[in-house]
C-alpha cells in the first residue's frame, strides 16, 4: 500500500489578497497547494507578502461549504446568529443543487413579478473575477430588471472615483505605482501601504533609498515613516484644511504650472479665490501641522520635477471623502504633476479586483465602462448587445440598499462573495435589515455572518479553484488559472450565475470565462486589443492598449483628459464639520482599518492558519500614554463604546497613534468594529465615514 506521490506542478496565477495583484505560482501536489512562490509579474517582480506566501489553507478549512443549504421551514432569522455559526448552521438543511437553485430563483422571481424589479438588489464581489462581476451585474440588470447592484467599492474608493470622474473624466489610476521608480517626490496621504499594499510598499522603500523625496501625510504613524523626508501627522478628518493650505501657498507664491493649466485645466480663477481663505497660519490649528511645514511641503511638491501622489482609505472613507479627493486632485493639476513619467494620481485599490469589478459595471449608477445608466446612447448600445430593456434610473448603493431593506422597500437579495453583516457601518442595523428580507440568497465559501441570515446558501469556489481575469490597481488585466478543484459539490461561481440567469428566464449559454471575456471586450472599449488568448500568452496586459500586439499604456492622459472637451476641472473643496466630534461622553476618535495579516471581514484569512496565528485576537490600539492614563495594561481587556454599540477587545500599545485616537481592525467576528461605526454617507460617493467616529474607552473590570 505505498503510493507514489504525484510530482508537484506549478500553476501560474495571481494573488487574490489585494489590489497590488502579485503574480504567484501555486505549487500543487495531490490537489493541494503545498507552496506559493512569487512570479515575475509587472507589479511584484517575484516579491510576495505574508498573505500571498502563506494565506491559502482556507481552501481546505473544515468550515468550507460543500453542499447547498436551505433554511429549515420555520427557523427564524436572528441577527444574533451572525455570532453563533453553530447555531446558525442548525437552522439549515442540506439540499441538492437542483432544489436549492429552484428555491433561490423562485424567491427572486416571485418578488420581481409580484412586487417589482426594484424590490430586488444584488451585491457582487471585488474578490471574484472580471467575468463574474460582469455577468452578475448583467444578471441583476436584465434578469432582475433593476440597477440595484453594487459591491464593496462603495465602502472603499467610491469618493475617490466620484471626484476623479468629475475632475479628470476617469476613475482609474493615471500611472502605476511602479512610477515611484521615476518619481522625484512621492506623496502618500491616508494610506498605509506596508499593511495594505505590502509589496507596493517595498518598491516605495526602494525608491526612497534611491533618493526620492518621500512625504507622508497621515494621522497615524507607520513603519514607512522611517524612509520619509517629511511626515505630516495631521488631525484626523482635516485633510481639506491641510491640502487647501498647500494650494494656498502654491497659488500665493506663484508656484503653479501655468502652461499645464492654460493648456489643459479649467476652473483656476474659482479655485484661486477659494484658496485665499486657507493660509497655513489660519489652518495650522485646525489640521495640527505647523504653517512652516505646510509651506515647505507645498513648495517641495510644486517644484518637484516629477511628483507622484498615492492615497488610500484615509482620504476616501469619510463623509466628506469626495471633498478630500477633490482637494488632492486640484493639488496635482495645479502643479501639472500628471501625464509624465514619475507623476500622476494613484488611488491604491484595496481588494484584488475592485478596479475590474467597477470597470465591468458592478455599480448602480453606471453600465460597463462608466456610462451613466441615464446616458441614452450608451444604454441603447448595451440594450442592443444584451437584447434587453434597461432601466435609465440609477440604482441604490450598498448602504442605501440595506436602508431600503430595513424599511421593507427591498425584499429580496442575491449576495455573491460579500459580507455586509461584517463590512457595513452600524452593523446592528445592517444585520437587522438583512434578517428582515423575505428572500436572501448567499453564494460563498463559508457560512459567513451574512450567510447566517440567508434562505438559501450556495457553496462557491475559491480563487485558486477558478480560471478568470482580474484587474489590479495599476490597470493591469491579469489571468488566473485553476490550480485545484473545489471540495464536495461546491461549484464555479460563473456556472452558478448562469444557472440562476436561466431560471430567471435568460437564455444564457456561457460555458467558459473566455466566452464572457469576449463579450466584455464588445461591451467595454477600455479592453480593446486585450484578448483571452493574449492573456494566456502574456499573463498581464495593461489597459488602455492601443494595438493588438502593443503593450498597454502605463501612463495615461499625456495630452488630453477623457472629458468631452479633453480638459480637466478644478473643483474647490470646502471645510465641513467632521462627522462625529469627540465630546465629554465620547472623548476619543475611533478609526478602523486593516492589518497586514487579515483581509477585510476575515472570512478567508481567519481560516488561514499562519495568518490567524500571527494575529489571533481583536485588538484595540491606543498610544501608550493613553493606556497608562486609563489604567489599562497592554494585553488586558478593554471596552470601546460609541453612540451605536459597545464591544470588548485586547488592549495594544501603539506608539504610532496620536493621543486621543483608538484603532480597531474590522476582521474579527467576536468584536466586530463595524458595530461601532457611523452609517452617515458622503453625499457624492455615498461612502460611510469608517475612519472617524466618537468613542469612549474603559477598562473591563
Ligand atoms: Fe498578495 Fe497583495 Fe501581498 Fe501581493 S502585496 S502577495 S497581491 S496580498
Amino acid at each position: 500500500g505505498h503510493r507514489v506521490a504525484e510530482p508537484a506542478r506549478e500553476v501560474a496565477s495571481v494573488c487574490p489578497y489585494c489590489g497590488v495583484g502579485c503574480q504567484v505560482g501555486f505549487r500543487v501536489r495531490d490537489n493541494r497547494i503545498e507552496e506559493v512562490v512569487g512570479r515575475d509579474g509587472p507589479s511584484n517582480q517575484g516579491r510576495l507578502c505574508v498573505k500571498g506566501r502563506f494565506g491559502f489553507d482556507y481552501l481546505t478549512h473544515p468550515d468550507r461549504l460543500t453542499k447547498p443549504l436551505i433554511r429549515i421551514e420555520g427557523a427564524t432569522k436572528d441577527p444574533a446568529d451572525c455570532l453563533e455559526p453553530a447555531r446558525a448552521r442548525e437552522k439549515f438543511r442540506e439540499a441538492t443543487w437542483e432544489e436549492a437553485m429552484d428555491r433561490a430563483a423562485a424567491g427572486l422571481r416571485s418578488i420581481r413579478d409580484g412586487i417589482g424589479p426594484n424590490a430586488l438588489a444584488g451585491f457582487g464581489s471585488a474578490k471574484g473575477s472580471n467575468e463574474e462581476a460582469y455577468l452578475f451585474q448583467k444578471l441583476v440588470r436584465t434578469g432582475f430588471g433593476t440597477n440595484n447592484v453594487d459591491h464593496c467599492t462603495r465602502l472603499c474608493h467610491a469618493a475617490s472615483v466620484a471626484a476623479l470622474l468629475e475632475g479628470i473624466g476617469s476613475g482609474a489610476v493615471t500611472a502605476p505605482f511602479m512610477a515611484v521608480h521615476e518619481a522625484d517626490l512621492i506623496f502618500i496621504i491616508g494610506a498605509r501601504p506596508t499593511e495594505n499594499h505590502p509589496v507596493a510598499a517595498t518598491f516605495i522603500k526602494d525608491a526612497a533609498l534611491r533618493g526620492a523625496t518621500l512625504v507622508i501625510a497621515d494621522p497615524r504613524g507607520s513603519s514607512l515613516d522611517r524612509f520619509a523626508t517629511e511626515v505630516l501627522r495631521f488631525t484626523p478628518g482635516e485633510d481639506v484644511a491641510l491640502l487647501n493650505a498647500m494650494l494656498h501657498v502654491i497659488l500665493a507664491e506663484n508656484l503653479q504650472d501655468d502652461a499645464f493649466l492654460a493648456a489643459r485645466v479649467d476652473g483656476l480663477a474659482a479655485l484661486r479665490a477659494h484658496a485665499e481663505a486657507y493660509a497655513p497660519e489660519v489652518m495650522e490649528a485646525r489640521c495640527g501641522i505647523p504653517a512652516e511645514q505646510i509651506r515647505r511641503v507645498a513648495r517641495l511638491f510644486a517644484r518637484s520635477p516629477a511628483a507622484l501622489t498615492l492615497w488610500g482609505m484615509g482620504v476616501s472613507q469619510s463623509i466628506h471623502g469626495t471633498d478630500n479627493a477633490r482637494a488632492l486632485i486640484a493639488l496635482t493639476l495645479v502643479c501639472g504633476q500628471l501625464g509624465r513619467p514619475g507623476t500622476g494620481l494613484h488611488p491604491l485599490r484595496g481588494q484584488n479586483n475592485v478596479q475590474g469589478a467597477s470597470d465591468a459595471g458592478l455599480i448602480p449608477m453606471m453600465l460597463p465602462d462608466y456610462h451613466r445608466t441615464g446616458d441614452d446612447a450608451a444604454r441603447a448600445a448595451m440594450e442592443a448587445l444584451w437584447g434587453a430593456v434597461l432601466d435609465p434610473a440609477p440604482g441604490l448603493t450598498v448602504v442605501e440598499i440595506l436602508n431600503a431593506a430595513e424599511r421593507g422597500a427591498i425584499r429580496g437579495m442575491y449576495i455573491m462573495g460579500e459580507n455586509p453583516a461584517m463590512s457595513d457601518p452600524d452593523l446592528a442595523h445592517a444585520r437587522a435589515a438583512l434578517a428582515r428580507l423575505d428572500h436572501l440568497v448567499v453564494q460563498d465559501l463559508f457560512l459567513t455572518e451574512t450567510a447566517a441570515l440567508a434562505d438559501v446558501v450556495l457553496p462557491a469556489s475559491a480563487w485558486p479553484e477558478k480560471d478568470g481575469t482580474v484587474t489590479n490597481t495599476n490597470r493591469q488585466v491579469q489571468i488566473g488559472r485553476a490550480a485545484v478543484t473545489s471540495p464536495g459539490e461546491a461549484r464555479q461561481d460563473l456556472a452558478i450565475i448562469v444557472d440562476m440567469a436561466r431560471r430567471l428566464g435568460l437564455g444564457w449559454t456561457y460555458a467558459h470565462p473566455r466566452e464572457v471575456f469576449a463579450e466584455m471586450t464588445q461591451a467595454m472599449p477600455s479592453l480593446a486589443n486585450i484578448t483571452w488568448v493574449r492573456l494566456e500568452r502574456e499573463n498581464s496586459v495593461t489597459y488602455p492598449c492601443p494595438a493588438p500586439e502593443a503593450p498597454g499604456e502605463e501612463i495615461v492622459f499625456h495630452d488630453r483628459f477623457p472629458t468631452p472637451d479633453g480638459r480637466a476641472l478644478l473643483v474647490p473643496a470646502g471645510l465641513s464639520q467632521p462627522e462625529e466630534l469627540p465630546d465629554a461622553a465620547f472623548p476619543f476618535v475611533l478609526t478602523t482599518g486593516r492589518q497586514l495579516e487579515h483581509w477585510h471581514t476575515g472570512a478567508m484569512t481567519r481560516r488561514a492558519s499562519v495568518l490567524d496565528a500571527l494575529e489571533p485576537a481583536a485588538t484595540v490600539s491606543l498610544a501608550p500614554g493613553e493606556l497608562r492614563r486609563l489604567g489599562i495594561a497592554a494585553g488586558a481587556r478593554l471596552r470601546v463604546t460609541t453612540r451605536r454599540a459597545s464591544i470588548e477587545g485586547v488592549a495594544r500599545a501603539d506608539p504610532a497613534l496620536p493621543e486621543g485616537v483608538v484603532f480597531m481592525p474590522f476582521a474579527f467576528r467576536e468584536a466586530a468594529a463595524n458595530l461601532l461605526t457611523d452609517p452617515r454617507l458622503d453625499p457624492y460617493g455615498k461612502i460611510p465615514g469608517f475612519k472617524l467616529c466618537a468613542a469612549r474607552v474603559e477598562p473591563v473590570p
Side-chain angles (χ1 to χ4, degrees):
H2 193 83
R3 201 162 66 91
V4 179
E6 175 200 347
R9 53 197 175 89
E10 186 176 316
V11 180
S13 189
V14 185
C15 173
Y17 273 123
C18 90
V20 172
C22 298
Q23 288 192 7
V24 296
F26 292 123
R27 297 233 169 116
V28 179
R29 200 196 304 266
D30 294 334
N31 205 34
R32 277 181 91 96
I33 295 175
E34 285 195 328
E35 187 188 6
V36 184
V37 294
R39 291 169 61 90
D40 188 18
S43 69
N44 67 313
Q45 299 177 354
R47 301 177 187 185
L48 292 179
C49 80
V50 67
K51 291 192 287 291
R53 188 85 61 190
F54 299 113
F56 290 94
D57 56 347
Y58 73 90
L59 263 68
T60 51
H61 192 281
D63 287 353
R64 269 299 288 273
L65 296 169
T66 57
K67 286 203 160 84
L69 301 175
I70 290 181
R71 180 169 292 276
I72 291 166
E73 194 78 38
T76 53
K77 296 181 183 178
D78 180 356
D81 291 348
C82 295
L83 298 179
E84 302 284 348
R87 190 172 73 198
R89 177 63 186 81
E90 282 169 14
K91 295 185 178 181
F92 291 95
R93 64 174 172 82
E94 291 179 349
T96 63
W97 270 104
E98 184 57 32
E99 185 191 9
M101 288 304 294
D102 201 50
R103 179 76 70 93
L108 296 171
R109 262 194 331 260
S110 93
I111 293 167
R112 178 191 67 187
D113 301 339
I115 304 170
N118 288 327
L120 290 176
F123 288 169
S125 176
K127 293 179 274 297
S129 68
N130 287 324
E131 295 74 32
E132 290 160 5
Y134 173 83
L135 273 199
F136 190 88
Q137 60 86 35
K138 182 176 172 184
L139 169 71
V140 172
R141 293 194 150 109
T142 65
F144 293 8
T146 176
N147 287 314
N148 292 337
V149 61
D150 207 355
H151 74 291
C152 63
T153 189
R154 195 65 39 210
L155 308 177
C156 66
H157 266 306
S160 309
V161 170
L164 284 165
L165 285 171
E166 171 190 69
I168 65 171
S170 162
V173 299
T174 75
F177 61 72
M178 283 296 186
V180 295
H181 291 314
E182 290 143 313
D184 161 76
L185 184 147
I186 303 161
F187 180 41
I188 304 178
I189 177 165
R192 302 174 66 76
T194 46
E195 288 158 21
N196 301 319
H197 304 85
V199 166
T202 67
F203 294 112
I204 295 168
K205 291 176 188 171
D206 290 346
L209 291 173
R210 192 240 319 130
T213 300
L214 181 60
V215 177
I216 298 179
D218 200 297
R220 294 170 68 198
S222 85
S223 58
L224 208 53
D225 293 354
R226 294 200 305 267
F227 295 80
T229 308
E230 296 278 355
V231 174
L232 305 151
R233 292 200 187 167
F234 64 97
T235 308
E238 296 296 355
D239 312 54
V240 169
L242 172 66
L243 296 167
N244 278 359
M246 288 172 66
L247 277 166
H248 174 99
V249 174
I250 289 160
L251 294 170
E253 299 185 5
N254 237 353
L255 300 175
Q256 72 278 4
D257 183 337
D258 286 319
F260 185 89
L261 286 164
R264 309 189 52 185
V265 183
D266 291 326
L268 181 62
L271 184 76
R272 187 185 283 285
H274 179 77
E276 270 189 26
Y278 291 85
E281 290 71 20
V282 181
M283 288 299 117
E284 66 179 353
R286 180 147 184 166
C287 68
I289 303 297
E292 198 37 52
Q293 192 180 16
I294 297 175
R295 289 188 182 280
R296 204 164 64 228
V297 169
R299 290 171 190 147
L300 275 175
F301 186 85
R303 288 183 181 142
S304 167
L308 178 73
T309 298
L310 304 163
W311 75 96
M313 303 297 94
V315 166
S316 64
Q317 285 182 336
S318 154
I319 64 162
H320 46 257
T322 305
D323 276 330
N324 294 346
R326 283 171 174 151
L328 198 53
I329 294 163
L331 186 66
T332 292
L333 291 174
V334 161
C335 300
Q337 298 287 16
L338 185 150
R340 291 175 286 112
T343 68
L345 289 163
H346 190 117
L348 284 156
R349 300 300 157 127
Q351 297 223 27
N352 55 328
N353 197 35
V354 73
Q355 181 66 58
S358 302
D359 296 344
L362 199 63
I363 39 182
M365 60 292 279
M366 310 228 187
L367 299 166
D369 261 2
Y370 304 94
H371 296 294
R372 298 210 169 262
T373 54
D375 175 337
D376 292 341
R379 200 177 60 256
M382 219 48 66
E383 286 178 335
L385 180 68
W386 291 346
V389 177
L390 300 174
D391 187 348
L396 301 176
T397 61
V398 164
V399 179
E400 290 173 331
I401 285 169
L402 293 186
N403 289 343
E406 189 172 50
R407 291 196 306 274
I410 297 274
R411 306 285 285 274
M413 285 189 73
Y414 178 17
I415 300 180
M416 173 183 79
E418 290 245 317
N419 194 5
M422 280 291 284
S423 60
D424 270 44
D426 189 5
L427 281 181
H429 153 89
R431 290 171 180 173
L434 288 165
R436 198 174 165 204
L437 291 168
D438 295 339
H439 187 63
L440 173 60
V441 180
V442 174
Q443 174 174 327
D444 215 312
L445 306 178
F446 304 103
L447 195 67
T448 60
E449 294 74 15
T450 302
L453 299 171
D455 295 274
V456 181
V457 182
L458 305 171
S461 35
W463 173 247
E465 297 161 2
K466 298 190 277 202
D467 292 335
T469 69
V470 282
T471 307
N472 71 0
T473 189
N474 291 337
R475 289 183 269 105
Q476 285 148 347
V477 183
Q478 308 203 88
I479 195 163
R481 298 172 178 87
V484 292
T485 57
S486 302
E489 296 176 23
R491 269 173 97 184
Q492 297 272 311
D493 294 78
L494 209 67
I496 304 173
I497 302 168
V498 170
D499 190 343
M500 185 76 84
R502 288 202 191 118
R503 290 167 199 263
L504 292 173
L506 303 172
W508 288 6
T509 57
Y510 311 98
H512 189 274
R514 80 168 74 82
E515 296 164 30
V516 182
F517 190 82
E519 181 178 316
M520 291 174 69
T521 57
Q522 287 180 269
M524 300 167 63
S526 65
L527 294 176
N529 300 309
I530 305 179
T531 63
W532 189 274
V533 171
R534 197 176 163 186
L535 287 168
E536 278 190 325
R537 191 174 60 230
E538 299 176 38
N539 288 315
S540 173
V541 183
T542 299
Y543 81 76
C545 181
E549 300 299 325
E553 293 176 21
E554 297 209 328
I555 297 170
V556 289
F557 316 149
H558 301 277
D559 48 11
R560 74 186 309 278
F561 292 101
T563 53
D565 61 1
R567 293 172 68 83
L569 179 66
L570 296 167
V571 182
L575 293 176
S576 41
Q577 196 68 332
E579 23 280 58
E580 253 188 14
L581 283 170
D583 56 20
F586 299 97
F588 283 89
V589 164
L590 170 70
T591 186
T592 65
R594 289 198 276 150
Q595 294 168 302
L596 170 63
E597 294 81 1
H598 283 299
W599 198 52
H600 293 266
T601 70
M604 291 151 65
T605 52
R606 294 214 62 209
R607 294 179 177 93
S609 54
V610 171
L611 301 177
D612 201 50
L614 287 168
E615 281 289 357
T619 51
V620 179
S621 299
L622 287 131
E626 295 281 31
L627 283 177
R628 272 196 301 278
R629 203 168 53 72
L630 292 162
I632 301 170
R637 291 192 74 73
L638 54 67
R639 180 178 301 123
V640 186
T641 306
T642 68
R643 294 195 168 84
R644 289 151 294 279
S646 185
I647 58 179
E648 291 181 13
V650 179
R652 175 173 285 177
D654 181 353
L657 275 170
E659 305 269 300
V661 176
V662 191
F663 170 76
M664 289 193 71
F666 61 90
F668 294 84
R669 175 203 300 258
E670 60 276 26
N674 278 322
L675 285 165
L676 304 174
T677 48
D678 181 354
R680 278 175 289 174
L681 303 180
D682 171 270
Y684 310 98
K686 305 287 177 77
I687 188 170
F690 290 116
K691 289 289 180 250
L692 200 162
C693 70
R696 183 165 69 232
V697 181
E698 300 150 309
V700 174

